[in-house]
Amino acid sequence: MKKTLLRLKTALVIDLNNKGYTIKLGNDDVLIELNQFVGDRYADNNVFILCDSNTTEHCLPKIDWLDLEHLKDAEVLEVEPGEGSKSIEIYYQLIESLLELGANRKSVLINLGGGIVSDLGGFVASTFKRGIDFINVPTTLLAMVDASIGGKNGVNAGGVKNQIGTFSEPVGVFISYVFLETLPKKEINSGFGEMIKHLLISDKQALSKLDQLHSIVKIDDIAKSVAIKLRITQEDFTESGARKALNYGHTFGHAVESYLLSKGVSITHGEAVLMGMLMENQLSVELGRMSQSEKQSTENWVYAKFDLKSYFKQLEVAEVIRLLQFDKKNEGDLVSFSLVGPIGNCAIDVRPEKTIVESVLSMFCN
Ligand SMILES: NC(=O)c1ccc[n+]([C@@H]2O[C@H](COP(=O)([O-])OP(=O)(O)OC[C@H]3O[C@@H](n4cnc5c(N)ncnc54)[C@H](O)[C@@H]3O)[C@@H](O)[C@H]2O)c1
C-alpha cells in the first residue's frame, strides 16, 4: 500500500545557540529531521533506541511507518515501564547489552519515551565508556516540557528518587507532538503538573492563565514551557542558584511520590508535584511569602481539576518526614525548599524550622 504523508509546516525550531544543541518541536516532520540528524552525524556508527514496552508498542511504529533510512536498522533496547526501571540494576543490564551489541564511543543512544526512559538512557549514555552521544525523543507531555530538557539524568536508589546521576546534555531533543495521540489522559495531566509549575514560578499572571493552559494541549504552550525550562537551566546548568526554582513542588513532591510508590499506589510524577506545590504553598503562607488568597485560589483550581485528595489521605506524616531527609538539596539538619510567593516569584534555599514543616504536612494528611 502506498503511504501518503500529510505534513503541516509548523515545525518550530528553538536553538540553544551557545550550548550547541538543537531542540525541534512540531509534528512528524520532526522525526524526519531526526532521521537527517542521525544520518549526518552517525551514518557509519551503531544507533540504539531505548524504549519502554509502551513506547515500543505505541511510538516506535510511528517511526517505522515513516520508513526512515537512518533509523530503521537501529537496535532497540526495551525496559519495563515505571519507576522500577530507573534503577542501578536496569542501568547495569543496559550497559551489558550495549557491550554485547558492540556499542563504541561513537555510537548514539536515542531515548524514545517519557522521563523514565530519558533519565535512565541519559545516565547510561553519559557514563558508558565515559560518555557517548544521546538524543531525547520525548513521548509524554511531561518529558516534552521538562524531563528531556536540561541535562539531568539518573536513577533512584534506596527507595529514594534520583540519588545517582549526572548532569549531561543530549546532542539533540526532537519533540513530536504526534506521540501524544496515544498518551493516556492521566499522563497528559501529569505533564500539566510541570507546565503549571513553570507558570507559577515565572509568571505573575499565572492564575489567570491556568484554565486556558489546562483546556487542551497546545503546541504554543509546549513551546512556552520548554522556553522557561531552557532559560532557567541555561542560566544555571549545575543548579547552584536559579535552577533551584524548578524544584518548587518537588521537595514534598518527591517524598510523597517515593512513599506512595513504595506502597504500590500508582501516582504520576506530575500529580506528586502538584501535591508538593499545594503543600509548599501552605508553607509559603506560614512564612509570610504567599498571600492566603493566592494560595486558596491555586488550591481551589487544582482540586477542581485533579483528583489528589485520595492520595493525601494515604500519606503517613512520619514516613514522609523521613523521606524528606534524603532530599539532595538539604544542608545540615534542615530541609531546603524552593517556595513560590508571590506568584511569579520563587525563593530558593528556604529552610523552615522542622516544626513548621511537620505542621504543614499534618494539615494535608488529615
Ligand atoms: N530529568 C529531569 O529534568 C526530569 C524532570 C521531570 C521529571 N523527571 C522524571 O521523569 C519521570 C516521569 O516521567 P513521565 O511522567 O514521562 O513518566 P514515564 O516515563 O513513566 O511515562 C508515563 C507512562 O506513559 C507511557 N508512555 C510514554 N509515552 C507514551 C505514548 N506516547 N503513548 C502511550 N504511552 C506512553 C510510559 O510507558 C509510562 O507507562 C520521573 O522519574 C521523574 O523523576 C525528570
Side-chain angles (χ1 to χ4, degrees):
M1 189 193 295
K2 190 171 177 296
K3 293 172 185 169
T4 306
L5 182 62
L6 301 175
R7 291 185 211 154
L8 292 168
K9 294 293 171 209
T10 55
L12 160 71
V13 178
I14 305 167
D15 279 318
L16 254 186
N17 310 319
N18 55 338
K19 294 274 181 185
Y21 77 93
T22 307
I23 298 181
K24 294 187 185 262
L25 165 62
N27 57 4
D28 53 12
D29 269 351
V30 168
L31 301 175
I32 293 163
E33 296 209 22
L34 166 68
N35 177 59
Q36 192 57 49
F37 186 86
V38 171
D40 290 346
R41 296 190 180 207
Y42 309 100
D44 300 323
N45 299 302
N46 11 24
V47 178
F48 296 88
I49 303 182
L50 177 63
C51 295
D52 68 24
S53 53
N54 290 327
T55 62
T56 311
E57 182 185 344
H58 298 294
C59 306
L60 206 52
K62 292 198 162 88
I63 292 181
D64 283 345
W65 190 81
L66 293 169
D67 197 24
L68 301 169
E69 176 187 3
H70 302 291
L71 299 179
K72 63 182 179 194
D73 296 326
E75 198 78 53
V76 177
L77 303 169
E78 185 187 286
V79 297
E80 289 294 312
E83 283 288 327
S85 284
K86 253 177 76 172
S87 71
I88 204 72
E89 291 80 14
I90 299 292
Y91 160 82
Y92 190 67
Q93 285 178 28
L94 286 169
I95 296 282
E96 286 194 319
S97 300
L98 287 174
L99 287 170
E100 278 162 25
L101 294 165
N104 59 42
R105 294 184 80 173
K106 292 190 171 165
S107 302
V108 62
L109 179 65
I110 300 173
N111 298 318
L112 179 68
I116 301 282
V117 167
S118 55
D119 276 14
L120 174 66
F123 182 49
V124 167
S126 61
T127 51
F128 182 75
K129 295 187 187 281
R130 297 208 173 87
I132 61 169
D133 285 354
F134 66 101
I135 297 170
N136 287 337
V137 183
T139 62
T140 62
L141 182 59
L142 184 139
M144 291 178 187
V145 299
D146 196 347
S148 67
I149 317 275
K152 271 191 187 180
N153 316 292
V155 295
N156 308 326
V160 188
K161 281 181 63 81
N162 307 328
Q163 294 300 292
I164 307 171
T166 54
F167 280 106
S168 179
E169 288 179 313
V171 291
V173 180
F174 292 79
I175 307 172
S176 169
Y177 59 76
V178 295
F179 292 126
L180 297 179
E181 287 163 8
T182 56
L183 193 66
K185 178 87 173 85
K186 186 175 167 76
E187 298 299 339
I188 296 276
N189 266 338
S190 176
F192 279 129
E194 296 282 14
M195 292 169 89
I196 291 164
K197 177 196 77 178
H198 286 163
L199 260 189
L200 291 174
I201 61 174
S202 65
D203 189 337
K204 292 184 173 48
Q205 308 303 321
L207 277 180
S208 63
K209 296 180 180 170
L210 289 177
D211 269 338
Q212 239 200 335
L213 173 77
H214 188 251
S215 58
I216 188 170
V217 186
K218 293 182 280 301
I219 188 165
D220 272 4
D221 290 332
I222 296 178
K224 280 183 200 154
S225 224
V226 167
I228 293 169
K229 173 111 193 217
L230 269 180
R231 177 178 54 75
I232 295 175
T233 53
Q234 275 187 286
E235 194 181 317
D236 172 26
F237 182 54
T238 53
E239 199 172 294
S240 53
R243 185 170 182 160
K244 293 181 186 176
L246 294 168
N247 293 325
Y248 164 54
H250 283 64
T251 305
F252 274 130
H254 274 161
V256 161
E257 186 180 9
S258 298
Y259 176 74
L260 291 175
L261 290 177
S262 77
K263 297 286 164 201
V265 178
S266 109
I267 183 167
T268 64
H269 180 71
E271 286 170 325
V273 169
L274 280 164
M275 291 170 73
M277 289 194 282
L278 297 188
M279 290 190 272
E280 289 173 20
N281 285 354
Q282 182 64 46
L283 198 52
S284 195
V285 169
E286 304 293 326
L287 299 173
R289 293 176 179 275
M290 181 180 274
S291 69
Q292 179 66 25
S293 80
E294 278 193 336
K295 186 221 84 164
Q296 205 54 56
S297 309
T298 314
E299 200 169 291
N300 292 347
W301 186 86
V302 170
Y303 279 141
K305 306 285 179 191
F306 300 88
D307 184 16
L308 302 179
K309 289 195 173 162
S310 59
Y311 294 129
F312 278 119
K313 282 190 193 137
Q314 299 178 66
L315 296 179
E316 240 183 85
V317 176
E319 264 307 290
V320 177
I321 294 282
R322 188 185 70 76
L323 287 162
L324 281 175
Q325 309 305 322
F326 295 106
D327 196 281
K328 296 185 295 301
K329 301 180 292 301
N330 295 348
E331 280 172 31
D333 264 5
L334 297 179
V335 180
S336 196
F337 290 88
S338 300
L339 296 181
V340 162
I343 283 175
N345 293 282
C346 188
I348 60 171
D349 297 329
V350 184
R351 298 192 183 90
E353 291 301 320
K354 273 183 180 175
T355 47
I356 303 183
V357 175
E358 287 178 19
S359 90
V360 165
L361 193 50
S362 305
M363 285 183 206
F364 283 86
C365 296
N366 292 324

